[in-house]
Amino acid sequence: MTDQVRNSGQEPLPKIDTSVPHSARIWNYWLGGKDNYEVDRVAGDAFREIFPGIETGARAARYFLARAVRHLAAEEGIRQFLDIGTGLPNVDNTHQIAQRVAPDSRIVYVDNDPLVLAHARALLTSTQEGVTNYVDADLREPGTIIREAGKTLDLDQPVALMLMGILGHIEDDDEARSIVRRLVDALPSGSYLVQYDSTDTSEDYVRAIQQYNDGGSIPYILRSPEQIARYFDGLELLEPGVTSCSRWRPDAAALDLPAEVHQYGGVALKR
């Protein structure tokens, strides 16, 4: 296993298309980031006109990530994180939260988006005691992800698998569940699945997503909370189960969020 930070994507970076809105850049815009273009801000504003609660949902999802990682590192003793569908760097990324609790934590980020790859250096920072690595791979290739992650992570020891807002890009529900099963099956007992996605629990949200999908971007599929819960089949859900992200073990940072947002997620143990 490597003991130094490295980037596995050695091919020249593809040209980034700034003529079409990009989900990672729009999400970055909603979270107050600067890694976005005018086309993303226009699309983000149009989405917000139909569904004004999107920025609140984005914040709730981000805080959920932070609380889940902090809990797993501090309370469950997890020292390895496999974060697939990384997205653009923001405040308190997975490695920063985990290594703040346990400096020897090892984190592998996975994405195959050229924009994210271009920003990988911002993610590829680490404490001296730990490791942060980046794998250029597609979510639809679980075998490749596990093989490449195994060059940094010890897959005989528990791993927190993180699928944060990414499974909505898999249009077929059966395929999405199959991907989760294959990834979880490759991890040892004592591992955890951390997952959230946006839901179809608001008519306005459904209309906004339809407009977004019609705009030529990579489609995102809203699913019901019950469909999201199926991702955790065979695992032991931590309390409070699959719920609105703002309701998952809220802390002081989440006090200004509504109890109900349309991003649902959970954390579950593989026995």
Side-chain angles (χ1 to χ4, degrees), residues 222-241:
L222 297 177
R223 294 188 166 96
S224 68
E226 292 76 20
Q227 286 175 303
I228 289 177
R230 291 288 308 279
Y231 296 140
F232 296 94
D233 284 355
L235 303 177
E236 184 178 309
L237 277 162
L238 303 189
E239 292 293 337

Side-chain angles (χ1 to χ4, degrees), residues 23 34 45-46 57 60 66-68 78 86 108 116 141 158 178 200 211:
S23 61
K34 298 180 179 179
D45 290 342
R67 295 195 304 276
I78 296 297
T86 303
V108 171
V116 176
E141 301 173 346
S178 174
D200 59 2
Q211 175 180 279

Side-chain angles (χ1 to χ4, degrees), residues 163-235:
L163 298 168
M164 312 301 277
I166 188 65
L167 290 169
H169 288 299
I170 305 298
E171 296 188 49
D172 183 80
D173 196 40
D174 289 338
E175 182 184 6
R177 289 201 304 270
S178 174
I179 289 169
V180 175
R181 285 196 302 271
R182 291 165 65 188
L183 289 167
V184 171
D185 286 350
L187 302 178
S189 297
S191 294
Y192 286 83
L193 170 63
V194 185
Q195 192 274 332
Y196 88 83
D197 263 295
S198 296
T199 65
D200 59 2
T201 47
S202 161
E203 291 184 4
D204 287 343
Y205 203 172
V206 171
R207 287 198 300 116
I209 283 288
Q210 186 60 58
Q211 175 180 279
Y212 169 80
N213 290 346
D214 290 344
S217 300
I218 297 173
Y220 186 91
I221 307 303
L222 297 177
R223 294 188 166 96
S224 68
E226 292 76 20
Q227 286 175 303
I228 289 177
R230 291 288 308 279
Y231 296 140
F232 296 94
D233 284 355
L235 303 177

